[in-house]
Each structure stands twice: as structure tokens, then as C-alpha cells.
Amino acid sequence: YRDWVVKAFNRNLPFDRFTIEQLAGDLLPAPTPDQLVATGFNRCNVTTGEGGSIDAEWIFRYAVDRTATTVQTWMGLTAGCAVCHDHKFDPLSQKEFYSLYAFFHSAADPAMDGNTLRTAPLVQLKGEVEEKRLQELQSDIEAAEARIQTALKSVDYVDPATLNPLPEAHDVEQVWLDDAAPAGFSPQGSPQFVTYPLPVLSGRNSLRHRATDGVQDVFETATPTLTIPPHATLFAYVYLDPANPPTEVMLQFNSGDWEHRAVWGDPDGITWGEKGKPSRMIVGELPDTAEWVRLEVEADRIGLKPGDKIKGLAYTQSGGLMYWDKAGVSGHVDPAHDPSQSLLAWTSANDGRDSGDLPEPVRRIFKEVTATNRTPEQVAILRNHYLSNVCRLTQPVFGPLHDAVAAARKRYNEYNDGIVQSFIFRDLEKPRESFVMIRGAYDRPGERVFRNVPAALPPLSNTNNPNRLDLAQWLVSPENPLTARVTVNRLWQQFFGTGLVKTSDNFGSQGEPPSHPELLDWLASDFRDNGWNLKRLVKQLVTSSTYRQSSRVESDVLQRDPENRLLARGPRFRLDAEQLRDNALFVSGLMDLTFGGPGVKSYQPPNIWEPVAYSGSNTREYRQDSGSALYRRSLYAFIKRTAPPPFMGTFDGPSREQSCPRRDRTDTPLQALQLMNDVQHFEAARGLAERMLKEGGTAEEDRLVFAYRTVLARRPTARELQIVTNALERHLERYQGNPDAARQVVSFGESKPDPTLSAPELAAYTLTANLLLNLDETITRN
């Protein structure tokens, strides 16, 4: 969606089309993939997958957010005030708000996002190359599946229940996790397997955990191969650090849900499940420290029965440092009566059952056809499924074949998932009914409402069951007095620092009246009458005499008009956060101007995400990118809304938890501290210093003039040149006497300094460049 917005501006998509495609691209006749992507506008809101959340509440909240955002973006009104009651100041009743809300209330996206990367509805953007590759990968899957069918024709299997005498019963032990996760099980997060000299019991590795509170390593699969045997005991070996032991240790298993947990230690440390029940069974005291201890729990104590398939394993602790090794299951097996070895025992155990764990054809045979009435084809279906998927005796044959199928499917899924997909907006086939929600409570519906617009504004052209397309077309219709004015005002705000209507987020009666109402009206009419042409409007603003004025100000003018609302001088205001970073990267020569692609993670202080992240979140830990990704434009910065990049926040960048039509601008000591010392900014200063040395000539004065022209687009005055020259010479004298300090100065950041340049000289020019990048004139639009 972000890339669509950039391309829309670059190709100068008329603003009325820009509006319609974002609000209702999916409702256009035969919408293109680009028009579907555009509807991602209404998928930018905060969503949740948090346990305990109520679907009805979040469906309500999403619709309120989308309504308030749309109204504020295109109409400049504080419609959210009418969620609970009639608007106190503007002609917008609560009923009219919910009539607008009805346009967004039937969204097809789910109430719970599942904490997943992609939540339907989505559009996948694939071309001929991607289609061809997917067909090749699908052929690989089919070939791997065919090898299973070939093996079934020749597999050597004798049912132990048919032997005479019957085989004797015996004990078994199967290790599930030792040096790595079980085959086919994928980890959540990054489990840390370590080797000697750290404690290791079995094989080469053990699984290391360090935690300040609750932490777990989770392994899951969609195709479970681990089975609970008869008389099963689950076990795991643990080693607790004597200096920092956890307070609680927990084993968890998923056989369709995670409600199978065994606890040693503090029974109330981790509160998942019901204490004393299979979902949180208290098994014993905390194990001894400084030695390997075998933890054991009978499978039936935590609700697992013979034949259950294990889909997930989790090794969990509360605080402390510990190691896990050699975890699995032991049991007592009677081959002739064991469903995992005997086809007769397995079919007998499933006859007449409706097991959800079985494929539909197998399940239907067991449920609907008695053993004596099965056709040879049905018997073959049961036998083939058993030998290839269930029987432990034939696993040496079929295990690798299934692994090959799983690997082929994984390659397909990874490639398919790598193809760009984008959130889109779409309505449910059957619309939800909408109501005035009494006092804004999601569970207190009052009078039913239907889609409509406020009575104080011109009516919709289509009043017979209107949809979002009708709403979008109404917003940009010639009769609508607001959209063009709001848009022009926002562009004016961007270039002049303050809109003609200062309260660009509020055109209502409590907002500030326009400083130049006739100018606002004329610009809005001109914008609309000239095809909603944004580039034309931008050119019109920046080439105007008003914009091109000097920002110098006489004291009497400043006293009469401190905020420059009368536009007697050119605008002057601090650059936004993104512009500050991008300006430094650009003049340094480090910036990567690549268009599009996923968000990138640049430098930021450690441990920013971790305190606010859920354990299973894909943004649990901040993993900084490397290489050119560090120098992409700030437009592509990855934003975690609960922990946005500190550089952005320090310079008033919004968290993006809600729309932001107008940013505040503050000036704080922390901003100066960051500009002087932030790794990215200081690295940019070194990049600029290298340019000064390579491109600026051979004389100090020439290099400094080059820097001024690069950073400020002007030559320095004689006084400025003298001050900066003195600073450069002091730095040069200092670093020539301390080359080690110079090498430290030029080593900040991932990019490497040019080895052909003298470190003391480069360090001196780096501090000089840092000075220039921190000038008020550099960080301020003058």
C-alpha cells in the first residue's frame, strides 16, 4: 500500500481518483490489482489478537476508527466526538455519525488478527515469472507424493497381530528433542542451542534459556509425527543454574490445543490454565541446581491419551537461567495390540469413530462402513494411510518420503509467501446491521441506522442502498464544500508550516477560522477545476511570491505577527523527523534511493522492542538490518507502533496508532543531543567528511566551501569560514596527536571509512561536518 501511494504521487494520479481508489477501489468495475491494493488505506488501523478480547467490541472499534479517520482526512471534522453523543459544537448528530459508520461496519477482515503477518482479505501480486516458478514447485510436490505411492506397492510389512506366537510386550523410549527440534517442527522465535563447555547431557547440544520473567521456546508443526504410546510418561532433562535458577519450570504439549501442562516449582508463577487440572498440573518441587535432573509426568495426568498426535512442544520457565536436553516420551508397548504397530489394532480402535485427526476419506470409511462391508478399494485406502502415516514399523521407509513432501511444500510456501501480498478492504457478502451505540458502548445498540451522510452537507446522489463507492464519489463531488479545501489547506500546511486554517484537523466551529478565506476558496476551486492535479498545486504553491519570500523578519513585524499568519515573510520551521534523517543521509552520500520493498530496520538503541513485545510476536526482538538497508529513506522505516523508532519520536514523529493530520513541533535539548551523537547522524557526518576530502578540492577553504554549498546551498560568509576553519584545525591538531582516538571517531556505523584516507584528517573533517549538520539553518526550513 505504501508503494502504491508513492507511485500514485509520482504519476500524479488525480486526487479525486486517489480518494475513490483508497476508499472504494474494490467496488470499481473489474478492479485492477493496484486498485485493490489502494484499499489498504482502511487496513492501516490498529488490530488485536490478544487473548480475552471480545470480537464484537473490536469490530465496533475498527469501524469507529475508519469512520473518524475518513471524515477527518477528507472533511477536516472531529467526527469521533459523536461516537457517544451528538457533537457538542458541529452539526453532526450521533445518528449521523453511525450512518457514516455503517459504510465501514461490514468489513470482511476478522475481529482478531491472530498475531499473524497476513490477515485476509489480501491480494497477491504475481506476474508470469512467479506463476511459472509456482508451477515448477507444485510439480516437485506431486513428484514427491508419487514416490510415496510407489513405495506403498513394495513396502514389506507384517502385522504383529497375525504372528504366532504373538510378540512379547516391552518398554520403549523415544527422544523428541535432543540436538535440535523434532523433524518437521518449526520454532517460534530463535531457540538458542549451545554446546560444551556449557552444560550438555546428550549429543552435541542443549537448549539454553535465560529470562527475567516468563519465557518459552515453542516448536510446532502442521503435520504431526509424534504419537503418545500406551502407558506413556513424558520426560525432559533440565539443568538449573545455581547462581540464577528459575522459580518455575513448565512442560507444555499441543494435541489440538495447548491445554496440557506440567509444572515444577512455583504453582502460581505462570498462570496459564487451571491449577491442579491437566491445563496446569502441579507435578513437584523445583529441581535441584547444578546437575542434570530428569523431569517426568504421566501423559494421562495432563490429559494426553494413547494415540494422540503432538502438534506442538514448549519448554517454559519463569525467570533465571537453565538448560534443556533429551526430551521425549517412554511407554510400555504390546506390538500385537499397539495401534502404532498393528494395522488390525488400529482399525479396531477406529471402527465406528468420527476422528477429526484423520483425512476425510479415511474418516468417512470408519464412520460409515462396518469392517465386514468394506470394499477392496476401501480396505486399500485404510492400509495405505496406515502404513504411510501411522505405522511406526514402516516409518524408516515413509518418514524420509514424507520429509521430502514436506520440504517440497515448504519451498512452495516460502516462495509463495515471498510474493508480495497486501492488505485490502472488502465488505462481507451479507452486510451487518448498524445501530446507534448508546453512549458509545459496543454492546448497547439503540436505533437502527442506514448508510448516509450528514444533513448539513449536500445529499448523496444515490440514496438507494449507497455503498463506499457512493461515499467516495460524494466526497469529491463538485457539491461537497470540504474535501478540496481540506486538501489544499493540508498542502499549504506542509509548505508553510501552518495551514490557512491553523487547525487543519478541525474545520468545525471550534477550529480556527482561515486567515485568508478568499485565498482558501480560490485555491480549492482552482484545484478542483483543474482536474484535482496535485503536482500542479504543489508547483503553484512553491513558485508563488508568498512562498519565495525571505524568512528574515524585522522586529516590529515579528511583534505584530509572531506566527506569520499574515504571510509578510517566508516560512521558517524545523524539518520533520524523516526529513532530518534523510537530509543527513543524502548530503553524506550514504543514502540508498531504491524504490519500494519491505520496511527496513536501521540503528536504534538496544532493548526497545523487547519490554513491550509478546513472547510469540514476530517483533519480539529488534534485529537491525545491515548493508544498504540501513541507509534507505525514512519512508521505508519499519514502525512498531508500541515502540516507534526513538529518532522519530524525539522529533515529534507520530506513533501511527491513529491518523495524524497535524504534527506538533517541539524544540528540546534531547534533539540536539541526538543530532550530535546518534550513530546514523554521526556516520552521515563521516560520509560528508569523505566527500569533502574527495570532491571538495585540496585546500581547506575549498573543502569547507564545498560542504556549505552541499548542506546549505550557499557559500559561507567570511566570519563563518573563519570560525569553521579554526574548529577544523583544532580537531586536526588533536587527532594527529592521538591516532587511536581518530580511528575510533571514524569507526561509528556499519559502513567502513575509506582506508586510503588519513584517519586523523578524516576524524577532524568528520567533527567539522557534524558541526555543519547541526546548524540551525541545516535543520530548519528557511
Side-chain angles (χ1 to χ4, degrees):
Y1 167 73
R2 177 201 57 219
D3 292 352
W4 177 87
V5 171
V6 174
K7 287 187 288 187
F9 284 131
N10 285 347
R11 61 190 171 101
N12 201 21
L13 182 69
F15 189 79
D16 56 344
R17 296 301 302 174
F18 185 69
T19 296
I20 289 168
E21 291 185 15
Q22 288 185 97
L23 289 178
D26 57 310
L27 300 178
L28 294 170
T32 65
D34 264 3
Q35 288 170 337
L36 293 176
V37 168
T39 66
F41 170 81
N42 267 317
R43 296 292 302 281
C44 289
N45 56 288
V46 172
T47 60
T48 190
E50 188 174 358
S53 298
I54 299 169
D55 283 11
E57 178 183 3
W58 283 92
I59 290 170
F60 166 76
R61 290 174 68 170
Y62 298 161
V64 166
D65 184 298
R66 289 160 177 164
T67 305
T69 298
T70 298
V71 174
Q72 186 164 81
T73 299
W74 279 276
M75 300 166 66
L77 298 177
T78 55
C81 297
V83 172
C84 304
H85 48 71
D86 290 349
H87 202 294
K88 297 295 185 184
F89 307 106
D90 297 333
L92 181 67
S93 69
Q94 189 182 19
K95 181 178 179 180
E96 287 173 328
F97 174 86
Y98 284 102
S99 295
L100 288 166
Y101 156 102
F103 284 103
F104 303 96
H105 186 215
S106 295
D109 54 307
M112 300 295 132
D113 60 24
N115 288 329
T116 57
L117 180 63
R118 293 165 175 161
T119 308
L122 300 160
V123 62
Q124 189 176 49
L125 306 171
K126 55 187 175 184
E128 292 181 8
V129 173
E130 290 82 8
E131 290 282 10
K132 182 180 178 181
R133 181 57 181 154
L134 288 173
Q135 290 173 6
E136 293 170 353
L137 294 170
Q138 180 62 37
S139 297
D140 292 345
I141 295 173
E142 293 168 359
E145 291 174 337
R147 287 190 284 272
I148 293 176
Q149 297 305 312
T150 301
L152 283 168
K153 297 175 182 177
S154 59
V155 65
D156 184 17
Y157 169 73
V158 177
D159 191 332
T162 64
L163 298 176
N164 189 11
L166 295 176
E168 294 183 0
H170 59 279
D171 294 330
V172 294
E173 180 175 280
Q174 183 182 5
V175 175
W176 288 348
L177 181 139
D178 192 356
D179 286 346
F185 279 66
S186 300
Q188 287 186 6
S190 302
Q192 186 181 7
F193 285 96
V194 297
T195 59
Y196 181 83
L198 295 172
V200 176
L201 171 73
S202 171
R204 302 182 306 277
N205 304 332
S206 65
L207 184 60
R208 183 177 187 264
H209 272 175
R210 180 190 294 275
T212 54
D213 46 24
V215 69
Q216 60 182 345
D217 278 324
V218 179
F219 304 91
E220 292 189 278
T221 183
T223 56
T225 55
L226 307 181
T227 306
I228 300 294
H231 312 290
T233 297
L234 298 152
F235 66 87
Y237 286 86
V238 296
Y239 183 102
L240 276 59
D241 184 79
N244 184 23
T247 59
E248 178 184 2
V249 176
M250 177 184 284
L251 279 173
Q252 299 184 75
F253 303 92
N254 180 351
S255 66
D257 57 51
W258 281 102
E259 299 303 300
H260 312 281
R261 303 183 183 93
V263 176
W264 289 263
D266 180 5
D268 299 309
I270 302 173
T271 58
W272 301 329
E274 186 176 353
K275 187 166 67 173
K277 298 296 178 67
S279 59
R280 192 178 9 144
M281 180 59 62
I282 314 305
V283 180
E285 300 295 325
L286 196 69
D288 292 337
T289 63
E291 62 177 297
W292 284 103
V293 178
R294 180 179 170 112
L295 304 179
E296 293 186 335
V297 60
E298 293 84 359
D300 58 2
R301 289 191 68 188
I302 57 173
L304 294 171
K305 59 185 182 299
D308 279 351
K309 296 285 188 181
I310 299 302
K311 300 178 179 179
L313 314 168
Y315 302 91
T316 309
Q317 71 193 67
S318 181
L321 172 63
M322 65 177 293
Y323 302 81
W324 301 77
D325 207 345
K326 194 178 179 182
V329 65
S330 62
H332 183 75
V333 174
D334 181 355
H337 299 91
D338 179 7
S340 71
Q341 297 188 52
S342 168
L343 173 60
L344 288 174
W346 178 73
T347 55
S348 177
N350 284 285
D351 278 338
R353 290 182 59 205
D354 184 10
S355 175
D357 292 336
L358 297 174
E360 183 59 30
V362 175
R363 180 181 167 199
R364 190 182 305 115
I365 293 170
F366 278 129
K367 181 182 178 183
E368 299 177 0
V369 187
T370 62
T372 56
N373 290 326
R374 288 170 192 155
T375 66
E377 292 78 9
Q378 290 172 331
V379 171
I381 289 173
L382 297 183
R383 180 180 184 277
N384 288 346
H385 176 78
Y386 177 76
L387 294 180
S388 62
N389 293 281
V390 180
C391 182
R392 189 152 50 87
L393 301 178
T394 56
Q395 279 307 297
V397 174
F398 291 100
L401 296 178
H402 279 296
D403 289 346
V405 173
R409 284 183 177 146
K410 182 180 179 182
R411 289 193 295 273
Y412 180 96
N413 291 334
E414 286 178 347
Y415 185 82
N416 190 54
D417 289 346
I419 297 172
V420 173
Q421 295 185 56
S422 192
F423 292 137
I424 63 173
F425 195 81
R426 183 170 286 153
D427 290 323
L428 296 169
E429 290 186 13
K430 182 182 179 181
R432 297 184 176 102
E433 292 183 347
S434 300
F435 303 88
V436 173
M437 308 307 281
I438 299 171
R439 303 182 74 85
Y442 76 91
D443 56 351
R444 295 188 63 194
E447 178 187 357
R448 186 178 177 188
V449 295
F450 300 90
R451 296 169 183 167
N452 209 341
V453 296
L457 294 168
L460 289 164
S461 59
N462 173 25
T463 57
N464 182 23
N465 193 26
N467 58 22
R468 279 180 290 109
L469 183 56
D470 296 307
L471 175 66
Q473 291 170 336
W474 172 81
L475 285 170
V476 293
S477 66
E479 296 77 23
N480 193 308
L482 288 172
T483 299
R485 286 179 173 85
V486 169
T487 306
V488 165
N489 189 68
R490 194 166 291 133
L491 263 293
W492 188 280
Q493 172 183 273
Q494 182 170 342
F495 291 109
F496 288 87
T498 303
L500 293 170
V501 176
K502 183 178 181 180
T503 54
S504 60
D505 55 332
N506 187 0
F507 270 52
S509 61
Q510 294 300 295
E512 185 172 305
S515 56
H516 301 71
E518 295 88 352
L519 175 59
L520 180 62
D521 286 350
W522 180 82
L523 282 171
S525 299
D526 186 67
F527 177 46
R528 183 196 63 206
D529 295 342
N530 283 279
W532 299 88
N533 188 325
L534 273 172
K535 287 192 175 182
R536 179 183 178 275
L537 173 61
V538 170
K539 182 177 180 180
Q540 195 173 36
L541 294 180
V542 300
T543 58
S544 67
S545 298
T546 305
Y547 183 77
R548 291 185 290 119
Q549 293 180 102
S550 168
S551 59
R552 294 181 182 276
V553 57
E554 301 298 333
S555 58
D556 60 327
V557 174
L558 181 64
Q559 187 173 7
R560 286 188 301 169
D561 185 17
E563 295 186 12
N564 195 28
R565 300 307 310 284
L566 301 179
L567 305 171
R569 59 187 183 275
R572 186 180 189 280
F573 52 89
R574 198 207 69 224
L575 300 179
D576 285 333
E578 297 88 342
Q579 295 167 332
L580 285 169
R581 177 178 172 273
D582 290 356
N583 182 59
L585 286 176
F586 184 79
V587 299
S588 73
L590 289 171
M591 176 171 275
D592 178 355
L593 293 171
T594 303
F595 171 84
V600 294
K601 305 178 185 70
S602 187
Y603 304 107
Q604 70 176 30
N607 202 39
I608 295 293
W609 284 8
E610 288 77 0
V612 298
Y614 289 105
S615 58
S617 170
N618 62 356
T619 57
R620 174 182 174 184
E621 298 171 348
Y622 189 79
R623 294 187 182 87
Q624 178 185 302
D625 283 325
S626 60
S628 64
L630 292 172
Y631 314 109
R632 297 288 302 280
R633 286 170 290 187
S634 301
L635 171 71
Y636 299 108
F638 187 99
I639 304 291
K640 181 181 175 76
R641 290 198 260 215
T642 52
F647 183 90
M648 304 294 184
T650 301
F651 288 93
D652 308 308
S655 70
R656 309 198 188 183
E657 293 185 275
Q658 57 190 23
S659 64
C660 179
R662 179 168 62 116
R663 294 189 188 187
D664 293 324
R665 279 193 176 88
T666 61
D667 292 297
T668 69
L670 182 59
Q671 293 172 352
L673 185 69
Q674 186 157 312
L675 289 175
M676 292 292 288
N677 297 284
D678 180 74
V679 174
Q680 188 108 72
H681 221 74
F682 197 79
E683 183 182 21
R686 192 197 71 224
L688 176 58
E690 291 191 17
R691 291 190 66 194
M692 292 164 69
L693 291 168
K694 294 177 181 179
E695 303 174 40
T698 57
E700 282 184 2
E701 180 176 333
D702 292 340
R703 290 168 175 173
L704 294 174
V705 169
F706 169 84
Y708 262 83
R709 296 190 67 184
T710 300
V711 176
L712 300 179
R714 67 171 176 85
R715 300 177 67 88
T717 65
R719 175 65 174 153
E720 288 172 328
L721 186 60
Q722 184 62 50
I723 292 171
V724 176
T725 300
N726 291 342
L728 172 62
E729 290 175 350
R730 286 199 306 272
H731 295 317
L732 192 57
E733 180 181 357
R734 171 189 174 190
Y735 288 122
Q736 285 174 338
N738 191 347
D740 288 339
R743 281 187 286 272
Q744 272 192 306
V745 166
V746 300
S747 65
F748 285 96
E750 187 178 294
S751 65
K752 302 301 179 187
D754 187 336
T756 65
L757 298 175
S758 160
E761 187 176 35
L762 180 57
Y765 274 90
T766 295
L767 289 185
T768 305
N770 196 32
L771 183 156
L772 296 180
L773 289 178
N774 282 271
L775 292 174
D776 177 75
E777 188 176 347
T778 306
I779 67 173
T780 303
R781 185 265 175 259
N782 287 278

